[in-house]
Amino acid sequence: MNLQRLRRAALAMTGAVALLLGFAGPGHAAADVVLRDLATAKGKYIGVAATASELNISSYASIAGTQFNSATPGNEMKWESVEPTRGTYNWTGGDNLVGFAQAHTMQVRGHTLVWHSQLPSWLTSGTFTNDELHALMIKHVTDEVTHFKGKITHWDVVNEPLNEDGTFRQSLWYNQLGSSYIADALRAARAADPAAKLYINDYNTDGTGAKSDGMYNLAKSLLAQGVPLDGIGFQGHLIVGSVPSTIQANLQRFADLGLDVAVTELDIRMVLPATDAELAQQKADFKAVVSACVAVSRCVGVTVWGLTDATSWIPGVFPGQGAATPYDENYQPKPAYYGIAEALGWTGTVPAAGCTVTYGVNQWNTGFTANVTVKNTGGSAVGGWTYPAGQKVTQAWNATVTQSGTAVTATNLSYNGTISAGGTQSFGFNATWSGSNPAPTGFTLNGTACAAG
Ligand code: 9MR
């Protein structure tokens, strides 16, 4: 039985079983890996998106604030969030994100001022003359950029203005104001905060192609008109194994126009359940994207759109897909995390597994005592394992141990619920046996297969 099958078997049984060993706590990568330090050494930033609810998750916040040095609000600076009622601003979510970033010495990408989506209904269902709509847009841009003046390093002023063929997207803005809304929004943003770098941001422009050509022509034309455009954001919502081979060349051609470029919303999704092969490919994919940025001197940084698979937007929008971020659902760094690190110059050894398990047994005619030591070699821990038929757990210590058929799960007690990086926790149990008394196989911890220790 290969490792993947063992893991699946153990996971499947964990749900049905009574003995679960759960050690919770934020994950830690190999102690020497700090993405933000690596990025800084390359002259880049490494960013992470966070919604207000994600920031309330302690593991999310602690990893975001230590591993990343740029933050983008997932939703809190969008029009529907800041001005749900006409003329009444709610800056709370945006201010909280900014406060979090400042407390952790992170810069902030403002996202986003003029977009066709996540607009308040008073705006989308209202009737406005072209002049009124233009004035509303300018006021919104001016008020929001002014509110955050001095606190935002980069603004996604205009988001997703293009169709897949590179033409302008039909939107509230384009339909009534024509393509000049883009230049006007940029000018208003510049007037409100001359220090912020102003971007147009879009998806499916990461490699060369019709949409990217449309963006290229738009950028060129705006620059020719003297419009204050500083950079182009490439969202990077990608599919595993499908990173465009032209990504570096594409970033470079925009840089050659005299613009900064950034990867602003990187995630790389796959059909679930993720296999080890797909996670390995995803590592290579994250590495390829970040490497493209590293190779382009005017690429200022890369932002991942979500820290963890636990809260990513992907499964909700692409049913059956997910696993798109650098950390798994238990906040453990995935191979993708190390792909980012490697692209940023890290040369360490990727931990082979999150855990090792040592299983010792002391047996007599029909009974035995087992002692289990779980070592965390990559993060925090939860475990379950298959248990040979004929064995029956009767008593346990230092864990709640339960059994269903041949599957056994152990759950931590209140005093031993965390395994520090490199640390161990041990528990034991008494059991009966008949036939033979082999060691169990298929140990998992947080869904990750554990090597035998
Ligand atoms: O991550 C955002 C998610 O929480 C929202 O539900 C969604 C609504 O459209 O927007 C997500 O972020 C989007 C970003 O603002 C612009 N590019 C696409 C992102 C994913 O939809």
Side-chain angles (χ1 to χ4, degrees):
M1 200 183 243
N2 65 30
L3 201 62
Q4 188 61 31
R5 288 181 63 203
L6 281 175
R7 165 148 54 131
R8 291 257 170 78
L11 272 173
M13 275 180 274
T14 298
V17 169
L19 184 77
L20 176 83
L21 176 63
F23 292 92
H28 295 282
D32 58 334
V33 188
V34 180
L35 297 181
R36 60 190 278 168
D37 294 346
L38 294 166
T40 300
K42 292 283 184 193
K44 315 290 179 188
Y45 68 75
I46 184 79
V48 62
T51 61
S53 56
E54 286 167 336
L55 272 191
N56 281 332
I57 302 169
S58 61
S59 298
Y60 201 107
S62 80
I63 296 171
T66 51
Q67 288 283 331
F68 297 84
N69 57 359
S70 177
T72 304
N75 291 311
E76 291 67 21
M77 292 186 190
K78 294 171 180 174
W79 200 318
E80 71 172 4
S81 300
V82 302
E83 199 182 1
T85 305
R86 186 173 179 178
T88 305
Y89 289 112
N90 179 355
W91 305 116
T92 308
D95 286 346
N96 285 344
L97 185 282
V98 168
F100 172 81
Q102 290 177 341
H104 295 87
T105 326
M106 305 164 87
Q107 61 180 43
V108 178
R109 279 198 78 90
H111 176 85
T112 176
L113 298 168
V114 182
W115 190 23
H116 63 274
S117 184
Q118 291 184 274
L119 295 169
S121 58
W122 65 263
L123 188 59
T124 52
S125 56
T127 305
F128 307 103
T129 66
N130 294 353
D131 284 351
E132 285 169 341
L133 189 67
H134 187 265
L136 278 169
M137 182 190 78
I138 298 299
K139 178 172 164 46
H140 174 77
V141 171
T142 304
D143 288 353
E144 181 156 2
V145 175
T146 300
H147 176 80
F148 292 109
K149 183 177 180 183
K151 299 171 179 170
I152 303 272
T153 50
H154 309 82
W155 266 112
D156 291 331
V157 177
V158 176
N159 199 39
E160 303 173 1
L162 299 179
N163 292 317
E164 293 305 295
D165 65 0
T167 58
F168 289 107
R169 179 195 287 271
Q170 306 291 302
S171 71
L172 175 67
W173 311 112
Y174 179 76
N175 293 352
Q176 274 197 249
L177 307 179
S179 63
S180 62
Y181 84 88
I182 296 172
D184 292 349
L186 288 161
R187 290 192 187 100
R190 175 69 94 233
D193 185 354
K197 299 291 186 190
L198 306 182
Y199 278 64
I200 302 173
N201 189 48
D202 215 325
Y203 62 90
N204 285 352
T205 50
D206 314 296
T208 52
K211 191 170 186 180
S212 176
D213 288 349
M215 183 65 88
Y216 184 81
N217 293 331
L218 172 62
K220 208 168 164 182
S221 135
L222 291 169
L223 292 175
Q225 297 166 58
V227 174
L229 174 67
D230 300 307
I232 302 295
F234 301 83
Q235 293 185 5
H237 294 295
L238 301 173
I239 296 169
V240 74
S242 302
V243 173
S245 59
T246 53
I247 187 165
Q248 183 183 325
N250 191 45
L251 297 179
Q252 188 63 56
R253 69 172 174 154
F254 285 88
D256 291 343
L257 290 175
L259 292 166
D260 290 339
V261 295
V263 178
T264 53
E265 304 182 16
L266 179 61
D267 52 24
I268 305 181
R269 63 186 183 268
M270 61 190 76
V271 173
L272 298 174
T275 65
D276 287 346
E278 285 168 326
L279 294 173
Q281 179 63 50
Q282 187 186 47
K283 177 190 177 198
D285 293 345
F286 268 89
K287 185 172 179 175
V289 174
V290 177
S291 295
C293 182
V294 168
V296 174
S297 61
R298 292 205 66 155
C299 184
V300 296
V302 175
T303 297
V304 295
W305 204 248
L307 178 77
T308 161
D309 297 341
T311 60
S312 167
W313 68 291
I314 294 286
V317 174
F318 299 97
Q321 298 183 53
T325 78
Y327 285 80
D328 72 15
E329 298 201 344
N330 296 306
Y331 292 85
Q332 302 304 306
K334 293 161 58 183
Y337 168 91
Y338 294 99
I340 298 172
E342 287 174 0
L344 294 173
W346 181 69
T347 56
T349 304
V350 178
C355 46
T356 57
V357 169
T358 309
Y359 180 85
V361 75
N362 179 12
Q363 75 180 54
W364 57 96
N365 50 356
T366 57
F368 67 99
T369 295
N371 283 296
V372 183
T373 298
V374 186
K375 177 169 181 164
N376 175 11
T377 60
S380 59
V382 176
W385 61 91
T386 58
Y387 210 59
Q391 297 169 330
K392 176 103 186 78
V393 175
T394 55
Q395 183 194 5
W397 49 94
N398 293 339
T400 302
V401 178
T402 53
Q403 180 172 4
S404 173
T406 61
V408 176
T409 304
T411 308
N412 65 278
L413 301 180
S414 58
Y415 57 85
N416 64 359
T418 301
I419 310 177
S420 60
T424 61
Q425 293 285 2
S426 296
F427 66 95
F429 55 87
N430 289 330
T432 59
W433 63 281
S434 61
S436 63
N437 192 24
T441 58
F443 291 91
T444 65
L445 195 63
N446 264 347
T448 299
C450 299

